[in-house]
Amino acid sequence: MANGLDGTPYVELSRKQWGELRKNTPLTLTEDELEELRGVDDPIDLAEVTDIYLPLTRLLNLHFTGARQRGAAVNTFLGAGQRPSPYILGIAGSVAVGKSTTARLLHTLLARWPEHPRVDLVTTDSFLYPNTVLTERDIMHRKGFPESYDRRALVRFVADVKAGLPEVSAPVYSHLEYDIVPGALQTVRRPDILIVEGLNVLQPAPPTALAVNDYFDFSIYVDAKVEHIRDWYVDRFHKLRRTAFEDPKSYFRHLAELSEEEATTFARDIWRDINERNLVENIAPTRGRAGLILYKGPNHSVRRVRLRRI
């Protein structure tokens, strides 16, 4: 185990070492509940929850408690009687790496700790520009790249939540229709914890501006080798082609008619030309900004963990 004093700010732990840090954290999730949280083609099981996510929720609960104590100390110094600020957790990683499953799982597990019963989850997909705007700007082919998001609206949303506003609303994104849903809103009401999940949540801000991660109390990056993520993406594409894409309302309805070979070629091309480029150019370079990195092996299982100590 690295000690964090060898030139890196991280301490690295094997799966076994990490799992031992669970201590007495109870497993509060059933197999049926996990099935509902599991993403497309994500084989996560209760052993993974026990070995990886229970120690993680213990760490986050300790971190949450520490953040509350620091906030109380500042309020005492100022002579203010303000309620504690929401704790904000960011989760980043590539398309198809499993970060959405991680976010949903932590949302469920953290809400079962008595210290923070109100936990909300927002994805940055909700802050993508509508397709009409992306088309007008000729960047529809770069959906998911940093410039395809309304960064100011996202930062303003997280800042308002952090400031303790009674209600803060975000747009709603439909993966089925591949667009922002007109008039639909997700409203957050003073949560104890807000989880913000998305591809680019660890991106640095432009000069003289704030980034969304400036408001994070902690952040997680879900990582894996590029070739493994590519294979997961292609497998997921095939499963969606046989399920969600067959819905008449699906933006990708036409892709359901592709043959197996055509679908593989199409998915690999999309991965190479869009998702891998975004990963290599924009997402992976932000990995070192995370407080914790989960490294997955070829079977989607977390092999090792790196935790920032300094």
Side-chain angles (χ1 to χ4, degrees):
M1 180 175 66
N3 61 12
L5 301 177
D6 54 358
T8 172
Y10 291 95
V11 57
E12 184 167 312
L13 301 104
S14 67
R15 182 186 178 103
K16 183 176 184 297
Q17 290 170 325
W18 178 257
E20 290 171 351
L21 299 176
R22 169 193 175 185
K23 300 300 182 183
N24 296 320
T25 306
L27 176 61
T28 59
L29 198 69
T30 67
E31 182 61 51
D32 288 343
E33 289 173 322
L34 181 58
E35 179 63 30
E36 293 181 4
L37 299 171
R38 188 181 286 124
V40 176
D41 201 43
D42 190 336
I44 189 170
D45 56 20
L46 288 178
E48 184 86 351
V49 174
T50 299
D51 293 345
I52 302 301
Y53 291 96
L54 293 188
L56 180 51
T57 59
R58 175 173 175 256
L59 170 66
L60 290 171
N61 189 55
L62 290 170
H63 203 268
F64 169 88
T65 301
R68 282 288 169 95
Q69 290 172 345
R70 289 193 300 274
V74 172
N75 283 337
T76 298
F77 172 73
L78 295 174
Q82 296 178 342
R83 61 183 295 157
S85 296
Y87 181 93
I88 301 185
L89 169 65
I91 301 178
S94 171
V95 167
V97 79
K99 68 184 180 306
S100 296
T101 298
T102 294
R104 289 192 296 267
L105 186 54
L106 289 176
H107 176 241
T108 298
L109 292 173
L110 290 172
R112 295 180 180 181
W113 283 80
E115 292 87 348
H116 31 73
R118 183 180 287 250
V119 183
D120 284 317
L121 168 62
V122 171
T123 72
T124 58
D125 288 344
S126 295
F127 294 90
L128 283 161
Y129 286 113
N131 288 352
T132 53
V133 175
L134 297 177
T135 301
E136 288 170 1
R137 298 184 181 183
D138 195 26
I139 56 172
M140 190 69 177
H141 62 292
R142 291 177 67 82
K143 196 170 191 176
F145 283 66
E147 65 268 28
S148 66
Y149 294 90
D150 187 342
R151 187 192 64 82
R152 290 183 180 179
L154 173 59
V155 171
R156 185 167 58 249
F157 170 84
V158 176
D160 286 346
V161 173
K162 192 69 173 175
L165 268 61
E167 291 189 353
V168 186
S169 295
V172 174
Y173 183 82
S174 168
H175 286 276
L176 183 66
E177 299 176 20
Y178 197 57
D179 203 356
I180 298 294
V181 180
L185 293 174
Q186 176 185 356
T187 300
V188 172
R189 298 178 175 86
R190 285 181 173 164
D192 296 303
I193 297 176
L194 174 68
I195 300 173
V196 182
E197 176 258 309
L199 300 172
N200 294 294
V201 296
L202 296 178
Q203 285 287 323
T208 74
L210 288 173
V212 64
N213 60 79
D214 287 321
Y215 295 94
F216 292 170
D217 293 281
F218 196 77
S219 57
I220 298 168
Y221 187 95
V222 185
D223 199 16
K225 290 184 177 180
V226 173
E227 58 267 30
H228 295 156
I229 308 175
R230 177 201 61 211
D231 292 343
W232 300 338
Y233 176 81
V234 174
D235 289 344
R236 187 179 74 173
F237 183 88
H238 280 294
K239 290 196 174 181
L240 289 172
R241 185 174 60 90
R242 296 189 294 267
T243 54
F245 291 176
E246 293 186 344
D247 190 311
K249 295 181 180 179
S250 174
Y251 179 87
F252 298 105
R253 177 68 181 86
H254 61 289
L255 298 179
E257 307 301 325
L258 295 177
S259 67
E260 194 80 6
E261 183 177 350
E262 289 171 333
T264 297
T265 299
F266 181 89
R268 284 180 173 270
D269 288 347
I270 292 294
W271 171 259
R272 181 192 65 238
D273 297 338
I274 299 177
N275 294 309
E276 185 174 351
R277 283 188 60 192
N278 196 18
L279 171 59
V280 172
E281 295 174 9
N282 300 303
I283 304 168
T286 69
R287 176 175 48 209
R289 301 172 67 87
L292 181 136
I293 306 170
L294 299 174
Y295 288 95
K296 289 187 170 186
N299 64 349
H300 254 295
S301 181
V302 174
R303 296 280 187 85
R304 54 195 173 96
V305 177
R306 300 192 87 192
L307 174 63
R308 180 181 286 275
R309 295 188 65 178
I310 56 176

